[in-house]
Amino acid sequence: MITAAQMRAARALLNMDQRLLAELSGLSLPTIQRMEASEDTIRGNVDSLMKLITALDEAGVELINDGRMVKITIGL
């Protein structure tokens, strides 16, 4: 699963603020803020997490889980 730090890194690489990520994912701004405030792995219901991952994917972020960590690549 994605961590809060990875979520912030992905947003930064995309030059995207929390408000835009909320809009693209269909989640509320407070939900995005809570996710990013998590200490490590993002907590949330499955639907919200899938919306987040889908929004990042559609923005060009590829999350690769090799069993130990999630790697972030930006498709250009």
Side-chain angles (χ1 to χ4, degrees):
M1 194 47 63
I2 186 172
T3 67
Q6 292 164 332
M7 181 178 168
R8 288 189 297 272
R11 269 195 324 99
L13 289 168
L14 293 168
N15 196 29
M16 181 184 295
D17 64 14
Q18 289 178 331
R19 189 173 306 281
L20 179 56
L21 181 55
E23 183 180 315
L24 293 175
S25 64
L27 299 171
S28 69
L29 179 57
T31 297
I32 296 296
Q33 292 168 333
R34 274 192 305 278
M35 287 177 162
E36 285 196 3
S38 299
E39 286 192 31
D40 192 24
T41 302
I42 294 172
R43 292 187 219 158
N45 67 47
V46 173
D47 184 53
S48 293
L49 293 171
M50 290 308 299
K51 287 180 179 180
L52 170 68
I53 292 168
T54 298
L56 290 174
D57 181 60
E58 289 176 354
V61 174
E62 183 179 2
L63 301 172
I64 303 168
N65 185 345
D66 69 2
R68 292 173 289 142
M69 62 184 292
V70 176
K71 298 176 187 175
I72 300 171
T73 61
I74 304 295
L76 300 174

Coordinates of all heavy atoms in Angstrom, one line a residue:
M1 N 0.8 -1.2 0.0 CA 0.0 0.0 0.0 C 0.9 1.2 0.0 O 2.0 1.2 0.3 CB -0.9 0.0 1.2 CG -2.1 0.9 1.2 SD -3.1 1.1 -0.3 CE -3.8 -0.5 -0.4
I2 N 0.3 2.4 -0.3 CA 1.1 3.6 -0.4 C 1.2 4.3 0.9 O 0.2 4.2 1.7 CB 0.4 4.5 -1.5 CG1 1.2 5.8 -1.7 CG2 -1.1 4.8 -1.1 CD1 0.6 6.7 -2.8
T3 N 2.3 4.9 1.2 CA 2.5 5.7 2.4 C 2.2 7.1 2.2 O 2.1 7.6 1.1 CB 3.9 5.5 3.0 OG1 4.8 6.2 2.1 CG2 4.3 4.1 3.1
A4 N 2.0 7.8 3.3 CA 1.7 9.3 3.3 C 2.9 10.0 2.6 O 2.7 10.9 1.8 CB 1.4 9.8 4.7
A5 N 4.1 9.6 2.9 CA 5.3 10.2 2.3 C 5.3 10.0 0.8 O 5.6 10.9 0.0 CB 6.5 9.7 2.9
Q6 N 4.9 8.8 0.3 CA 4.9 8.6 -1.1 C 3.8 9.4 -1.8 O 3.9 9.8 -2.9 CB 4.7 7.1 -1.3 CG 5.9 6.3 -0.9 CD 5.6 4.8 -0.8 OE1 4.5 4.4 -0.5 NE2 6.7 4.0 -1.0
M7 N 2.7 9.5 -1.1 CA 1.6 10.3 -1.6 C 2.0 11.7 -1.8 O 1.7 12.3 -2.8 CB 0.4 10.2 -0.7 CG -0.9 11.0 -1.1 SD -2.2 10.7 0.1 CE -3.4 11.9 -0.4
R8 N 2.7 12.3 -0.8 CA 3.1 13.7 -0.9 C 4.2 13.8 -2.0 O 4.2 14.8 -2.8 CB 3.7 14.1 0.4 CG 2.7 14.4 1.5 CD 3.3 15.0 2.7 NE 4.2 14.2 3.4 CZ 4.0 13.3 4.3 NH1 2.7 13.1 4.7 NH2 4.9 12.6 4.9
A9 N 5.1 12.8 -2.1 CA 6.1 12.8 -3.2 C 5.5 12.8 -4.6 O 5.9 13.5 -5.5 CB 7.0 11.7 -3.0
A10 N 4.5 11.9 -4.7 CA 3.8 11.8 -6.0 C 3.1 13.2 -6.4 O 3.3 13.6 -7.5 CB 2.7 10.7 -6.0
R11 N 2.5 13.8 -5.4 CA 1.9 15.1 -5.7 C 2.9 16.1 -6.0 O 2.7 16.9 -7.0 CB 1.1 15.6 -4.4 CG -0.3 15.2 -4.3 CD -1.1 16.0 -3.3 NE -0.4 16.4 -2.1 CZ 0.1 17.6 -1.8 NH1 0.1 18.5 -2.7 NH2 0.7 17.8 -0.7
A12 N 4.0 16.1 -5.3 CA 5.1 17.1 -5.6 C 5.7 16.9 -7.0 O 5.9 17.9 -7.7 CB 6.2 17.0 -4.5
L13 N 5.9 15.6 -7.4 CA 6.4 15.4 -8.7 C 5.5 15.8 -9.8 O 5.9 16.2 -10.9 CB 6.7 13.9 -8.9 CG 7.9 13.4 -8.1 CD1 8.0 11.9 -8.1 CD2 9.2 14.0 -8.6
L14 N 4.2 15.8 -9.5 CA 3.2 16.2 -10.5 C 2.9 17.7 -10.3 O 2.0 18.2 -11.1 CB 1.9 15.4 -10.3 CG 2.0 14.0 -10.6 CD1 0.7 13.2 -10.1 CD2 2.1 13.8 -12.1
N15 N 3.5 18.4 -9.4 CA 3.2 19.8 -9.1 C 1.7 20.0 -8.8 O 1.1 20.9 -9.4 CB 3.7 20.7 -10.2 CG 3.8 22.1 -9.8 OD1 4.0 22.4 -8.7 ND2 3.6 23.0 -10.8
M16 N 1.2 19.1 -8.0 CA -0.3 19.1 -7.7 C -0.5 19.4 -6.3 O 0.2 18.9 -5.4 CB -0.8 17.7 -8.0 CG -2.2 17.5 -7.8 SD -2.7 15.7 -8.1 CE -2.4 15.5 -9.9
D17 N -1.5 20.3 -6.0 CA -1.8 20.6 -4.6 C -2.9 19.6 -4.1 O -3.4 18.9 -4.9 CB -2.2 22.0 -4.4 CG -3.4 22.5 -5.1 OD1 -4.2 21.6 -5.6 OD2 -3.7 23.7 -5.1
Q18 N -3.1 19.6 -2.8 CA -4.1 18.7 -2.2 C -5.5 19.0 -2.8 O -6.2 18.0 -3.0 CB -4.1 18.9 -0.7 CG -2.9 18.4 0.0 CD -3.0 18.6 1.5 OE1 -3.6 19.6 2.0 NE2 -2.3 17.8 2.3
R19 N -5.8 20.2 -3.0 CA -7.1 20.5 -3.6 C -7.4 19.9 -4.9 O -8.4 19.3 -5.2 CB -7.3 22.0 -3.6 CG -8.7 22.5 -4.0 CD -8.9 24.0 -3.9 NE -8.5 24.5 -2.6 CZ -9.2 24.5 -1.5 NH1 -10.4 23.9 -1.5 NH2 -8.8 25.0 -0.4
L20 N -6.4 19.9 -5.8 CA -6.5 19.3 -7.1 C -6.6 17.8 -7.0 O -7.4 17.2 -7.7 CB -5.3 19.7 -8.0 CG -5.3 19.2 -9.4 CD1 -6.6 19.5 -10.2 CD2 -4.1 19.6 -10.2
L21 N -5.8 17.2 -6.1 CA -5.9 15.8 -6.0 C -7.2 15.4 -5.5 O -7.8 14.4 -5.9 CB -4.8 15.3 -5.0 CG -4.7 13.8 -4.8 CD1 -4.6 13.0 -6.1 CD2 -3.6 13.4 -3.9
A22 N -7.8 16.2 -4.5 CA -9.1 15.9 -4.0 C -10.1 15.9 -5.2 O -11.0 15.0 -5.3 CB -9.5 16.9 -3.0
E23 N -10.0 16.9 -6.0 CA -10.9 17.1 -7.2 C -10.8 15.9 -8.1 O -11.8 15.3 -8.6 CB -10.7 18.4 -7.9 CG -11.6 18.7 -9.0 CD -11.2 20.0 -9.7 OE1 -11.0 21.0 -9.0 OE2 -11.2 20.1 -10.9
L24 N -9.6 15.6 -8.5 CA -9.3 14.5 -9.5 C -9.8 13.1 -8.9 O -10.2 12.3 -9.7 CB -7.9 14.5 -9.9 CG -7.4 15.7 -10.6 CD1 -5.9 15.6 -10.9 CD2 -8.1 15.8 -12.0
S25 N -9.7 12.9 -7.6 CA -10.0 11.6 -7.1 C -11.4 11.5 -6.6 O -11.9 10.4 -6.3 CB -9.1 11.4 -5.8 OG -9.3 12.3 -4.8
G26 N -12.1 12.6 -6.6 CA -13.5 12.6 -6.1 C -13.6 12.5 -4.6 O -14.7 12.1 -4.1
L27 N -12.5 12.8 -3.9 CA -12.5 12.7 -2.4 C -12.6 14.2 -1.9 O -12.2 15.1 -2.6 CB -11.3 12.0 -1.9 CG -11.1 10.6 -2.4 CD1 -9.7 10.1 -2.0 CD2 -12.2 9.7 -1.7
S28 N -12.9 14.3 -0.7 CA -12.9 15.7 -0.1 C -11.5 16.1 0.3 O -10.6 15.3 0.5 CB -13.8 15.7 1.2 OG -13.2 15.0 2.2
L29 N -11.3 17.4 0.3 CA -10.0 17.9 0.8 C -9.7 17.5 2.2 O -8.5 17.0 2.4 CB -10.0 19.5 0.7 CG -8.7 20.2 1.1 CD1 -7.6 19.7 0.3 CD2 -8.9 21.7 1.0
P30 N -10.6 17.5 3.1 CA -10.2 16.9 4.5 C -9.8 15.5 4.4 O -8.9 15.0 5.2 CB -11.5 17.1 5.3 CG -12.2 18.3 4.6 CD -11.9 18.1 3.2
T31 N -10.3 14.7 3.5 CA -9.9 13.3 3.4 C -8.5 13.2 2.9 O -7.7 12.4 3.4 CB -10.9 12.5 2.5 OG1 -12.2 12.5 3.0 CG2 -10.4 11.1 2.2
I32 N -8.2 13.9 1.9 CA -6.8 14.0 1.4 C -5.8 14.4 2.5 O -4.8 13.9 2.7 CB -6.7 14.9 0.1 CG1 -7.5 14.4 -1.0 CG2 -5.2 15.1 -0.3 CD1 -7.1 13.0 -1.6
Q33 N -6.2 15.5 3.2 CA -5.4 16.0 4.3 C -5.2 14.9 5.4 O -4.1 14.8 5.9 CB -6.0 17.2 4.9 CG -6.0 18.4 3.9 CD -6.8 19.6 4.4 OE1 -7.8 19.4 5.1 NE2 -6.4 20.8 3.9
R34 N -6.2 14.2 5.7 CA -6.1 13.1 6.7 C -5.2 12.0 6.2 O -4.4 11.5 7.0 CB -7.5 12.5 7.1 CG -8.2 13.3 8.2 CD -9.4 12.4 8.7 NE -10.3 12.0 7.6 CZ -11.3 12.8 7.1 NH1 -11.5 14.0 7.6 NH2 -12.1 12.4 6.2
M35 N -5.3 11.6 5.0 CA -4.5 10.6 4.4 C -3.0 11.0 4.5 O -2.2 10.2 4.9 CB -4.9 10.3 3.0 CG -6.2 9.6 2.8 SD -6.5 9.4 1.0 CE -7.7 8.1 1.1
E36 N -2.7 12.2 4.1 CA -1.3 12.7 4.1 C -0.8 12.9 5.5 O 0.4 12.9 5.7 CB -1.2 14.0 3.3 CG -1.3 13.7 1.8 CD -0.8 14.9 1.0 OE1 -0.3 15.9 1.6 OE2 -0.8 14.8 -0.2
A37 N -1.7 13.1 6.5 CA -1.3 13.3 7.9 C -1.0 11.9 8.6 O -0.4 11.9 9.7 CB -2.3 14.0 8.7
S38 N -1.3 10.8 7.9 CA -1.0 9.5 8.5 C 0.5 9.4 8.8 O 1.3 10.0 8.0 CB -1.4 8.4 7.5 OG -2.7 8.5 7.2
E39 N 0.9 8.6 9.8 CA 2.3 8.5 10.1 C 3.0 7.6 9.1 O 4.2 7.9 8.9 CB 2.4 7.9 11.5 CG 2.1 8.9 12.6 CD 2.5 8.4 14.0 OE1 3.5 7.6 14.1 OE2 1.8 8.8 15.0
D40 N 2.4 6.6 8.6 CA 3.1 5.8 7.7 C 2.1 5.4 6.5 O 1.8 6.2 5.7 CB 3.7 4.5 8.4 CG 4.7 3.8 7.5 OD1 5.3 4.3 6.6 OD2 4.8 2.6 7.7
T41 N 1.7 4.1 6.6 CA 0.7 3.7 5.6 C -0.6 4.4 5.7 O -1.1 4.6 6.8 CB 0.5 2.2 5.7 OG1 1.7 1.5 5.6 CG2 -0.5 1.6 4.6
I42 N -1.1 4.9 4.6 CA -2.3 5.6 4.6 C -3.5 4.8 5.0 O -3.6 3.6 4.6 CB -2.6 6.2 3.1 CG1 -1.6 7.2 2.8 CG2 -4.0 6.8 3.1 CD1 -1.7 7.6 1.3
R43 N -4.3 5.3 5.9 CA -5.5 4.6 6.3 C -6.7 5.2 5.7 O -6.8 6.4 5.4 CB -5.6 4.7 7.8 CG -4.6 4.0 8.6 CD -4.8 4.0 10.0 NE -3.6 4.2 10.8 CZ -3.5 4.6 12.0 NH1 -4.6 5.0 12.6 NH2 -2.3 4.7 12.5
G44 N -7.6 4.4 5.3 CA -8.9 4.8 4.7 C -9.6 3.6 4.3 O -9.1 2.5 4.2
N45 N -10.9 3.8 3.9 CA -11.6 2.7 3.4 C -11.1 2.3 2.0 O -10.5 3.1 1.3 CB -13.2 3.0 3.5 CG -13.6 4.1 2.5 OD1 -13.2 4.1 1.4 ND2 -14.4 5.0 3.0
V46 N -11.4 1.1 1.6 CA -10.9 0.6 0.3 C -11.4 1.5 -0.9 O -10.6 1.8 -1.8 CB -11.4 -0.8 0.1 CG1 -11.0 -1.3 -1.3 CG2 -10.8 -1.7 1.2
D47 N -12.6 2.0 -0.9 CA -13.1 2.8 -1.9 C -12.3 4.1 -2.1 O -11.9 4.5 -3.2 CB -14.6 3.1 -1.7 CG -15.2 3.9 -2.8 OD1 -15.1 3.5 -4.0 OD2 -15.8 5.0 -2.6
S48 N -12.0 4.7 -0.9 CA -11.2 6.0 -1.0 C -9.8 5.7 -1.4 O -9.3 6.5 -2.2 CB -11.2 6.6 0.4 OG -12.5 7.1 0.8
L49 N -9.2 4.7 -1.0 CA -7.8 4.3 -1.4 C -7.8 4.0 -2.9 O -6.9 4.5 -3.6 CB -7.3 3.1 -0.6 CG -7.1 3.4 0.9 CD1 -6.8 2.1 1.6 CD2 -6.0 4.5 1.1
M50 N -8.8 3.3 -3.4 CA -8.8 3.0 -4.8 C -9.0 4.3 -5.7 O -8.4 4.5 -6.7 CB -9.9 2.0 -5.2 CG -9.6 0.6 -4.6 SD -8.0 0.0 -5.1 CE -8.1 0.0 -6.9
K51 N -9.9 5.2 -5.2 CA -10.0 6.5 -5.9 C -8.7 7.3 -5.9 O -8.4 7.9 -6.9 CB -11.1 7.3 -5.2 CG -12.5 6.8 -5.4 CD -13.5 7.7 -4.7 CE -14.9 7.2 -5.0 NZ -15.9 8.1 -4.3
L52 N -8.0 7.3 -4.8 CA -6.7 8.0 -4.7 C -5.7 7.4 -5.7 O -5.1 8.1 -6.5 CB -6.1 7.9 -3.3 CG -4.7 8.4 -3.2 CD1 -4.6 9.9 -3.4 CD2 -4.2 8.0 -1.8
I53 N -5.6 6.0 -5.7 CA -4.6 5.4 -6.6 C -5.0 5.6 -8.0 O -4.2 5.8 -8.9 CB -4.5 3.9 -6.2 CG1 -3.9 3.7 -4.8 CG2 -3.8 3.1 -7.3 CD1 -4.0 2.4 -4.2
T54 N -6.3 5.5 -8.3 CA -6.8 5.7 -9.7 C -6.4 7.1 -10.2 O -6.0 7.3 -11.3 CB -8.3 5.5 -9.8 OG1 -8.5 4.1 -9.5 CG2 -8.8 5.7 -11.2
A55 N -6.7 8.1 -9.3 CA -6.4 9.5 -9.7 C -4.9 9.7 -10.0 O -4.5 10.4 -10.9 CB -6.9 10.5 -8.6
L56 N -4.1 9.1 -9.1 CA -2.6 9.3 -9.3 C -2.2 8.5 -10.6 O -1.4 9.0 -11.4 CB -1.9 8.7 -8.1 CG -2.0 9.5 -6.8 CD1 -1.3 8.8 -5.7 CD2 -1.4 10.9 -7.0
D57 N -2.8 7.4 -10.8 CA -2.5 6.6 -12.0 C -2.8 7.4 -13.3 O -2.1 7.5 -14.2 CB -3.2 5.3 -12.0 CG -2.9 4.4 -13.2 OD1 -1.7 4.1 -13.4 OD2 -3.9 4.1 -14.0
E58 N -4.0 8.0 -13.3 CA -4.5 8.7 -14.5 C -3.6 10.0 -14.7 O -3.6 10.5 -15.8 CB -6.0 9.1 -14.3 CG -6.8 7.8 -14.5 CD -8.3 8.1 -14.3 OE1 -8.7 9.2 -13.9 OE2 -9.1 7.1 -14.5
A59 N -3.0 10.5 -13.6 CA -2.1 11.7 -13.7 C -0.7 11.3 -14.2 O 0.1 12.2 -14.4 CB -2.1 12.4 -12.4
G60 N -0.5 10.0 -14.3 CA 0.8 9.5 -14.8 C 1.7 8.9 -13.8 O 2.9 8.6 -14.1
V61 N 1.2 8.7 -12.6 CA 2.1 8.0 -11.5 C 1.8 6.5 -11.6 O 0.7 6.1 -11.6 CB 1.7 8.6 -10.1 CG1 2.4 7.8 -9.0 CG2 1.9 10.1 -10.0
E62 N 3.0 5.8 -11.6 CA 2.9 4.4 -11.6 C 3.4 3.9 -10.2 O 4.6 4.2 -9.9 CB 3.7 3.7 -12.7 CG 3.6 2.2 -12.8 CD 4.4 1.6 -13.9 OE1 5.0 2.4 -14.6 OE2 4.3 0.4 -14.1
L63 N 2.6 3.2 -9.5 CA 3.0 2.7 -8.2 C 3.4 1.2 -8.4 O 2.6 0.4 -8.8 CB 1.8 2.8 -7.2 CG 1.3 4.2 -6.9 CD1 0.1 4.2 -6.1 CD2 2.4 5.0 -6.3
I64 N 4.6 0.9 -8.1 CA 5.1 -0.5 -8.3 C 5.5 -1.1 -7.0 O 6.3 -0.6 -6.3 CB 6.4 -0.5 -9.2 CG1 6.1 0.2 -10.5 CG2 6.9 -1.9 -9.4 CD1 7.3 0.6 -11.4
N65 N 4.8 -2.1 -6.6 CA 5.0 -2.8 -5.3 C 5.8 -4.0 -5.6 O 5.4 -5.0 -6.2 CB 3.7 -3.2 -4.7 CG 3.8 -3.8 -3.3 OD1 4.9 -4.1 -2.9 ND2 2.7 -3.8 -2.6
D66 N 7.1 -4.0 -5.1 CA 8.0 -5.2 -5.2 C 7.9 -6.1 -4.0 O 8.8 -6.9 -3.9 CB 9.4 -4.7 -5.6 CG 10.1 -4.1 -4.4 OD1 9.5 -4.0 -3.3 OD2 11.3 -3.7 -4.6
G67 N 7.0 -5.9 -3.2 CA 6.9 -6.8 -2.0 C 7.5 -6.2 -0.7 O 7.2 -6.5 0.4
R68 N 8.4 -5.2 -0.9 CA 9.0 -4.5 0.2 C 8.6 -3.0 0.3 O 8.5 -2.5 1.3 CB 10.5 -4.6 0.1 CG 11.0 -6.1 0.3 CD 12.5 -6.2 0.0 NE 12.7 -6.0 -1.4 CZ 13.7 -5.3 -2.0 NH1 14.6 -4.8 -1.3 NH2 13.7 -5.2 -3.3
M69 N 8.5 -2.4 -0.9 CA 8.2 -1.0 -0.9 C 7.5 -0.7 -2.2 O 7.4 -1.4 -3.1 CB 9.5 -0.2 -0.8 CG 10.4 -0.4 -2.0 SD 12.0 0.4 -1.9 CE 11.5 2.1 -2.1
V70 N 6.9 0.5 -2.2 CA 6.2 1.0 -3.4 C 7.1 2.0 -4.1 O 7.6 2.9 -3.4 CB 4.8 1.7 -3.0 CG1 4.2 2.3 -4.3 CG2 3.9 0.7 -2.4
K71 N 7.4 1.8 -5.3 CA 8.2 2.7 -6.1 C 7.3 3.6 -6.9 O 6.3 3.1 -7.4 CB 9.2 2.0 -7.0 CG 10.2 1.1 -6.2 CD 11.0 0.3 -7.2 CE 11.9 -0.7 -6.4 NZ 12.6 -1.6 -7.3
I72 N 7.7 4.8 -7.0 CA 6.9 5.8 -7.8 C 7.6 6.2 -9.1 O 8.8 6.6 -9.0 CB 6.6 7.1 -7.0 CG1 5.8 6.7 -5.7 CG2 5.8 8.1 -7.8 CD1 5.7 7.9 -4.7
T73 N 7.0 6.0 -10.2 CA 7.6 6.5 -11.5 C 6.5 7.4 -12.1 O 5.3 7.2 -12.0 CB 7.9 5.4 -12.4 OG1 6.7 4.6 -12.7 CG2 9.0 4.4 -11.8
I74 N 7.0 8.4 -12.8 CA 6.1 9.4 -13.4 C 6.3 9.2 -14.9 O 7.4 9.3 -15.5 CB 6.5 10.8 -13.1 CG1 6.5 11.1 -11.6 CG2 5.6 11.8 -13.8 CD1 5.1 10.9 -10.9
G75 N 5.2 8.8 -15.6 CA 5.2 8.6 -17.0 C 5.2 10.0 -17.7 O 4.3 10.8 -17.5
L76 N 6.2 10.2 -18.6 CA 6.2 11.5 -19.4 C 6.1 11.2 -20.8 O 6.5 10.2 -21.3 CB 7.5 12.2 -19.1 CG 7.7 12.6 -17.6 CD1 9.1 13.2 -17.5 CD2 6.7 13.6 -17.2

